[in-house]
Amino acid sequence: MGGAALSAGLAEGKTILAIAVVAIIFTAPLGLLGIRFFGRHLLTVEVPAE
């Protein structure tokens, strides 16, 4: 979405694109750590006893 403002020709397009890139750089490693720590707990399947 950051590139849309730049391609639309807005004066703040470069700033919006830079903020979008920085947001991706910060959130991608946080997501990786979240998946590694919580993945096993959230993705386990408990089979009910018959």
Side-chain angles (χ1 to χ4, degrees), residues 4-48:
L6 185 63
S7 66
L10 293 175
E12 302 86 10
K14 288 184 181 181
T15 305
I16 294 171
L17 180 61
I19 292 171
V21 169
V22 169
I24 291 170
I25 289 172
F26 281 121
T27 57
L30 291 175
L32 172 70
L33 291 174
I35 289 171
R36 289 206 177 188
F37 287 123
F38 299 114
R40 288 183 184 234
H41 300 292
L42 296 174
L43 297 175
T44 57
V45 176
E46 296 181 13
V47 180

